Amino acid sequence: MIGERRSGRGGERARGAFTLIELLVVVAVIAILIAIMMPSLARAKAMAQKTRCATNLRSWGVAIQVYANQFENRFPNDGADSPVWGDTSAWFNALPPLVNAKAYVDLQKDYLTKNIKLPLGGNNSIFVCPASSTAMGNAASETDANGYFKTGTPSSPFFVCYVWNSKLNSTTAFFRMTSIPNPASTALMVEKRMQTSEPPRGTPFSIGGNPAPNSLNRMKADAKRFASRHEEGGNVVFADGHVEFFGYRFVEQDQSNFNKPGVLVWDPGSAVTN
């Protein structure tokens, strides 16, 4: 009897265990579920990055409004294509402290003297789009071994995804908020692409496209350097403070005049009003 009871208990344990085939079936089902869920998770991540990017630009918009209120509706210095990093009046130094962020020159000093990492792709920073990775220019001289662009006086590393609209002072100098004729459609800061390979194949300024890609080691940008990280497009903050997303193809569709009056104006001095 005792032997029979032991046998019975052993038989119950055997019946409660998984067979190899059953385990393989479970693993296969889990793998299928993961494969089904992965695209949805990727889309959710991309949407979150796009939203966070827009939030970063809203912070820049707030900083611009605060600066204008403090300085008689004036804008900060837009800086040169090859900027003087220590210029405290330049937008990348003057605006961040207004939203509790460090001036870029201070971030560079921390990087060079204290070995504190300069914000790069994937970092939580007002300067960095969460969907960006590392810098990739048209020439090796544009970047360094750590994935940063380099330019300026003195020549220093930088990775800034949001930059001033280089066309604001193209034909007419717009130094005050009140001088912008159509603030709801005039771009102040734009999301700049950080890699030459960003634009969709076959579009202007893409690899192999016509016109060819432009240099990216600049602290300004216009339509020719517009980003396409988020669903083949990027974000813009306007003179009235609102942020809007635009597809890359829409921005680049007219090479003779990038202005789209009433919608997206790069150069307000040559824009036709509605």
Side-chain angles (χ1 to χ4, degrees):
M1 293 296 292
I2 294 175
E4 290 176 0
R5 283 197 297 271
R6 287 177 178 170
S7 175
R9 286 197 298 271
E12 289 171 3
R13 286 198 299 271
R15 285 194 298 272
F18 285 105
T19 66
L20 177 59
I21 293 177
E22 288 171 331
L23 285 172
L24 291 174
V25 170
V26 170
V27 171
V29 170
I30 293 173
I32 291 171
L33 290 174
I34 291 174
I36 293 172
M37 292 174 63
M38 282 300 290
S40 297
L41 293 173
R43 285 193 295 270
K45 180 181 178 182
M47 184 59 67
Q49 290 175 332
K50 178 181 174 183
T51 300
R52 180 55 191 269
C53 179
T55 299
N56 284 344
L57 265 175
R58 286 190 187 94
S59 295
W60 284 109
V62 168
I64 293 169
Q65 298 291 333
V66 172
Y67 185 95
N69 289 336
Q70 291 181 356
F71 294 95
E72 299 179 335
N73 284 311
R74 293 180 183 275
F75 291 127
N77 183 3
D78 62 353
D81 286 345
S82 182
V84 177
W85 293 113
D87 181 2
T88 57
S89 68
W91 65 268
F92 48 84
N93 290 328
L95 294 179
L98 300 178
V99 287
N100 298 317
K102 274 192 172 185
Y104 207 74
V105 66
D106 291 332
L107 293 176
Q108 288 175 321
K109 288 177 181 177
D110 289 344
Y111 176 69
L112 295 172
T113 63
K114 300 179 182 179
N115 202 29
I116 298 175
K117 185 179 179 182
L118 193 66
L120 194 61
N123 294 150
N124 182 16
S125 169
I126 190 177
F127 289 99
V128 176
C129 167
S132 61
S133 53
T134 55
M136 183 183 298
N138 293 333
S141 59
E142 291 185 23
T143 59
D144 66 14
N146 295 315
Y148 297 101
F149 289 113
K150 53 184 180 180
T151 192
T153 306
S155 182
S156 301
F158 74 102
F159 191 87
V160 177
C161 300
Y162 314 108
V163 294
W164 203 260
N165 172 13
S166 63
K167 293 299 183 183
L168 277 179
N169 294 333
S170 177
T171 54
T172 304
F174 292 96
F175 298 118
R176 292 180 183 267
M177 187 78 73
T178 51
S179 68
I180 300 294
N182 297 292
S185 59
T186 300
L188 289 188
M189 291 186 67
V190 302
E191 188 178 356
K192 185 190 78 170
R193 65 176 172 271
M194 304 303 286
Q195 294 193 347
T196 310
S197 58
E198 270 188 40
R201 290 281 181 172
T203 58
F205 311 110
S206 65
I207 294 176
N210 184 23
N214 294 89
S215 60
L216 299 177
N217 60 333
R218 293 168 36 126
M219 288 292 282
K220 293 182 184 181
D222 54 16
K224 298 175 184 179
R225 294 171 175 83
F226 189 59
S228 55
R229 287 183 290 274
H230 312 290
E231 299 175 328
E232 295 188 355
N235 293 297
V236 177
V237 63
F238 290 86
D240 68 347
H242 87 278
V243 174
E244 197 168 340
F245 173 84
F246 292 93
Y248 184 85
R249 287 179 171 85
F250 172 79
V251 171
E252 308 295 345
Q253 68 186 9
D254 184 0
Q255 297 296 301
S256 62
N257 186 355
F258 292 103
N259 282 340
K260 296 169 178 59
V263 180
L264 176 58
V265 173
W266 299 90
D267 184 355
S270 63
V272 178
T273 58
N274 288 355

